[in-house]
Amino acid sequence: MNPRVVSIPQKNPIQRTVRAVVAALILREQQVLICQRRPGQPMEMQWEFPGGKIEPGETPEQAIHRELQEELGIEATIGPCVATVRHNYRNGGAVHLQFFTVHEYQGTLENKIFNDVRWSSLQDLPRYDFLAADKKFVVDLAQGKIL
């Protein structure tokens, strides 16, 4: 499966530092796991998919596997990349975000770093206040354009 590329057009191009980031779509039936950032964090109380930065020397799959261990205490079987998003923030930063599916994992989900973790139906995702980089992707996911 070729990943879907979602681009958000930007006015006034600025020189940007691009951070490579991965996120997991942990799926069960027609639900996906979503996580809410804690108060005091950048973009506090907004929703996101678990994941994080790719460290030097890591593949995206290794990064998402590590992040899921650190954030949720699970050993995940990483599926294919289903979408990529490039998002430019107003402050000059940018992210290149890759979304991977996870249909299987071992261990019990444990909230190690988030304010809240919950299962949401795909259709209900747009009701949550997601990070700016995720918003277009969330709409496409809810409308069945991604999976």
Side-chain angles (χ1 to χ4, degrees):
M1 170 188 270
N2 291 328
R4 179 183 165 102
V5 177
V6 181
S7 293
I8 300 171
Q10 299 293 316
K11 300 174 186 171
N12 304 326
I14 299 171
Q15 183 65 29
R16 302 190 182 273
T17 301
V18 179
R19 185 179 323 159
V21 180
V22 289
L25 300 175
I26 303 175
L27 301 161
R28 69 173 191 192
E29 299 166 13
Q30 289 297 308
Q31 294 184 319
V32 64
L33 190 76
I34 60 174
C35 305
Q36 185 182 43
R37 290 186 173 210
R38 289 187 316 243
Q41 283 186 293
M43 298 170 266
E44 64 184 357
M45 305 307 289
Q46 288 190 295
W47 291 87
E48 64 183 343
F49 300 98
K53 293 185 285 188
I54 300 174
E55 299 293 341
E58 281 185 322
T59 66
E61 292 84 358
Q62 290 168 332
I64 196 67
H65 189 267
R66 175 185 49 76
E67 289 285 350
L68 295 177
Q69 287 175 326
E70 292 172 2
E71 296 177 352
L72 300 169
I74 60 172
E75 292 288 329
T77 302
I78 311 303
C81 179
V82 294
T84 61
V85 172
R86 162 76 184 247
H87 180 76
N88 298 326
Y89 287 99
R90 291 182 183 160
N91 68 4
V95 294
H96 176 80
L97 180 56
Q98 298 176 67
F99 292 91
F100 289 85
T101 58
V102 172
H103 292 278
E104 297 178 8
Y105 61 88
Q106 289 75 47
T108 302
L109 285 170
E110 179 185 347
N111 179 2
K112 293 187 171 192
I113 66 163
F114 299 104
N115 185 63
D116 193 8
V117 173
R118 66 176 65 163
W119 293 99
S120 171
S121 71
L122 297 177
Q123 296 79 10
D124 286 344
L125 289 175
R127 296 180 183 171
Y128 293 90
D129 182 21
F130 272 87
L131 298 173
D134 293 346
K135 288 187 182 211
K136 171 82 170 88
F137 173 78
V138 163
V139 170
D140 287 350
L141 189 60
Q143 293 176 353
K145 295 179 183 177
I146 303 293
L147 300 176

